[in-house]
Amino acid sequence: MFGNKLNTVISINFQEKSIVFYSMTGDNRQSINVKRVLFRSSEPDEKFFKFFGEQLAEYGRENPSLQAAVVSVVVPDNAVVTDTVNIPAINRKAMDNGFELAMKTMYTNFDEMKTNKMLAASNKQYGTFFVTMIKKEFLSELNKTCVTNRFLPTFVTFPANTTVNAVGKLRPKFKRSSYLMLDIKENYTRVIFAVKGHAVGASVLPFGFEILSDKKVVAEDMLFDHSFADLTVINANERAKAKSLTMMAEDRSQTELEPGDVVNIDGSITKEDGTVIQTDGTIIRPDGTVVPPVENAQDDDGLVTGDDSNAQGDEDDDGTPVEQGGFKAYQRVARKLPKFMQRPTPTNARDFVYENFRIFVKWALSYLRGNDQLTTLAEPEFVLVNMPAEYDFLFERVNADKAEQKIEFVSFDPAIEDNATVTHNLELFGAFYSRNVNTTNNF
């Protein structure tokens, strides 16, 4: 299929903040070479594309044979919109017109998007289209940057699509299956809905197999901030009572920025008068005086309340007002469950790993039961899990509860390849085979 030419995939990964060059000679998996370049940008802005162009140019210099080479480009999942839309089943032309009208109603910027669609299901009443969209401006800038640096993108696609294509290539028995997939990386997890071998939805969990500790049970509440609904309710009550605003504790420095403030590389803030506020709250005045941070008392509910007297202008030992405006900050605190809800304490390393893996199980079941729009296209047959082979012992224990979970958890079994360069990078490996597979998801 590939001959002996060098095939290259270029991936932009905002989750890892890296640009990845993934190349393979012919179909030889042992020849795969990976180069990762880290960046700081949090969005694909002008600064990012300048850096991206510089890295393309450097990669071209390192690999002269790739000049004017055809490459595949994988962009972040959140750069692509996936959706489904139901259209009354009439003749094809009327359905196409109905589709465009429905999309313009749903998306006010529809004309700014490049759109692909596929008829995913149909009956006598209506047809269900699966839709993928990407901003034309982003796609144009991406292609222009590549061409300027003598790389020719044959197509642009996204990780959920290429991961499912890798599954179809490496596990042919799943090629036309419908399933939920957990592609568990070290620091994050990609969740993918696959319907008859097509990726129709994706999401990312901000934790990976790093939480599978064999020494302690990880508190899910501490993994990431998912209490914004609570904060909304708290703030609504506080505004009604004309009290101070409650915020995530980590965001305090951002809310206190004023015109003229400079945020330094280490996270500290230099005020216009030369005062420096360090990340721990320590204040260094222009004359060198150091004011230590004020200790805040923490309530039982995880709210940290600032000393309201500081808002009035407390004085320190030398009589100078200390500017520490009163505030409340929400800090992540491990939830304490009632005793009857607590699970037995693990007694060995594998028990600890299993208890932590149950976090993934919970999220998988939540995705399955909370996405009727996707599961009605085809009932998921199983949950496919890709993670290092050392954790394969978990599947027997998880599936002991299959009757209650109503679905089986299946290991991708990376030991078959015994090649982490492939199985740890399914979203890159699958791009080699995406030119002729699931073309609906290619732009």
Side-chain angles (χ1 to χ4, degrees):
M1 176 180 178
F2 292 99
N4 290 317
K5 70 174 183 177
L6 185 65
N7 304 284
T8 300
V9 173
I10 300 173
S11 170
I12 300 171
N13 189 330
F14 276 94
Q15 198 68 35
E16 297 177 345
K17 290 189 178 296
S18 65
I19 297 170
V20 186
F21 297 91
Y22 190 83
S23 59
M24 178 173 70
T25 302
D27 202 17
N28 180 7
R29 298 173 192 172
Q30 301 305 316
S31 71
I32 292 176
N33 183 59
V34 184
K35 177 185 177 181
R36 296 181 186 272
V37 181
L38 301 180
F39 59 80
R40 292 186 176 182
S41 299
S42 57
E43 59 180 316
D45 53 15
E46 182 179 351
K47 184 178 179 181
F48 167 78
F49 277 111
K50 180 182 178 182
F51 179 79
F52 181 50
E54 292 170 351
Q55 297 309 311
L56 288 174
E58 181 177 342
Y59 191 70
R61 289 191 294 270
E62 294 172 354
N63 301 273
S65 62
L66 283 177
Q67 290 295 309
V70 173
V71 296
S72 306
V73 181
V74 180
V75 298
D77 282 310
N78 60 7
V80 177
V81 177
T82 60
D83 205 347
T84 59
V85 57
N86 294 329
I87 304 297
I90 325 172
N91 61 69
R92 188 56 186 262
K93 184 177 180 180
M95 289 183 71
D96 286 342
N97 292 335
F99 169 82
E100 186 169 348
L101 179 61
M103 293 302 295
K104 286 183 176 180
T105 302
M106 294 166 60
Y107 295 93
T108 56
N109 62 339
F110 177 71
D111 290 333
E112 301 172 12
M113 312 291 282
K114 179 175 175 58
T115 306
N116 294 335
K117 69 177 187 293
M118 176 189 73
L119 187 61
S122 64
N123 55 39
K124 293 181 180 180
Q125 283 76 40
Y126 60 86
T128 301
F129 285 95
F130 168 62
V131 186
T132 55
M133 299 186 292
I134 189 170
K135 281 190 173 182
K136 293 176 183 177
E137 182 182 3
F138 172 72
L139 188 61
S140 174
E141 190 67 29
L142 188 68
N143 286 323
K144 184 178 75 174
T145 305
C146 288
V147 172
T148 299
N149 292 281
R150 303 185 67 185
F151 287 91
L152 307 176
T154 183
F155 63 83
V156 174
T157 188
F158 56 103
N161 178 54
T162 52
T163 301
V164 170
N165 291 345
V167 171
K169 173 65 178 178
L170 299 174
R171 304 291 181 269
K173 64 180 179 179
F174 299 148
K175 190 173 184 178
R176 296 292 176 235
S177 298
S178 298
Y179 53 88
L180 180 76
M181 182 172 187
L182 301 180
D183 188 16
I184 304 177
K185 313 288 189 181
E186 182 177 4
N187 302 313
Y188 69 96
T189 300
R190 181 170 289 109
V191 184
I192 306 168
F193 275 95
V195 173
K196 299 177 183 177
H198 297 270
V200 297
S203 181
V204 172
L205 296 174
F207 52 85
F209 61 77
E210 63 178 356
I211 73 167
L212 299 181
S213 170
D214 60 0
K215 296 180 175 61
K216 66 177 183 178
V217 176
V218 175
E220 184 187 348
D221 307 71
M222 305 300 289
L223 294 178
F224 63 103
D225 297 327
H226 52 109
S227 303
F228 292 106
D230 295 339
L231 294 184
T232 301
V233 174
I234 293 170
N235 282 325
N237 290 333
E238 289 178 347
R239 286 193 182 97
K241 298 175 183 177
K243 289 189 176 181
S244 58
L245 183 68
T246 298
M247 58 191 176
M248 300 307 294
E250 293 83 353
D251 292 341
R252 186 184 177 194
S253 63
Q254 296 179 10
T255 62
E256 294 178 346
L257 288 178
E258 299 174 351
D261 289 354
V262 176
V263 180
N264 304 312
I265 295 177
D266 62 358
S268 63
I269 299 172
T270 300
K271 310 292 281 186
E272 198 167 18
D273 65 355
T275 300
V276 176
I277 302 177
Q278 298 183 336
T279 54
D280 64 354
T282 300
I283 297 175
I284 303 176
R285 297 199 175 106
D287 62 1
T289 304
V290 177
V291 181
V294 174
E295 294 293 333
N296 296 318
Q298 180 172 305
D299 300 332
D300 293 336
D301 60 0
L303 291 177
V304 177
T305 307
D307 184 351
D308 290 336
S309 61
N310 287 333
Q312 306 299 323
D314 268 6
E315 295 185 351
D316 60 13
D317 294 339
D318 63 3
T320 306
V322 179
E323 296 182 0
Q324 296 272 2
F327 73 98
K328 285 185 178 181
Y330 186 92
Q331 290 186 335
R332 290 179 290 184
V333 178
R335 184 179 302 170
K336 296 180 181 179
L337 296 174
K339 191 171 183 179
F340 75 92
M341 294 179 65
Q342 296 177 10
R343 290 177 56 80
T345 302
T347 57
N348 58 62
R350 287 196 166 192
D351 285 349
F352 277 106
V353 175
Y354 172 67
E355 286 300 317
N356 291 322
F357 185 70
R358 282 171 54 85
I359 295 175
F360 291 104
V361 174
K362 187 208 81 170
W363 276 96
L365 297 179
S366 297
Y367 275 110
L368 288 170
R369 293 168 187 172
N371 284 277
D372 293 341
Q373 190 176 4
L374 297 179
T375 56
T376 52
L377 294 176
E379 188 70 25
E381 304 161 37
F382 51 86
V383 177
L384 184 62
V385 183
N386 179 40
M387 59 183 175
E390 64 189 272
Y391 299 115
D392 275 358
F393 71 90
L394 292 166
F395 292 95
E396 183 178 355
R397 295 192 63 172
V398 170
N399 290 323
D401 296 327
K402 181 180 176 181
E404 181 180 349
Q405 294 163 180
K406 298 182 173 57
I407 196 165
E408 181 179 4
F409 283 71
V410 176
S411 171
F412 181 77
D413 199 1
I416 294 176
E417 283 74 25
D418 192 24
N419 185 342
T421 309
V422 173
T423 55
H424 286 191
N425 299 286
L426 293 182
E427 73 281 7
L428 303 175
F429 180 77
F432 290 134
Y433 306 94
S434 296
R435 182 181 299 183
N436 301 313
V437 182
N438 291 346
T439 54
T440 300
N441 290 335
N442 296 339
F443 297 93

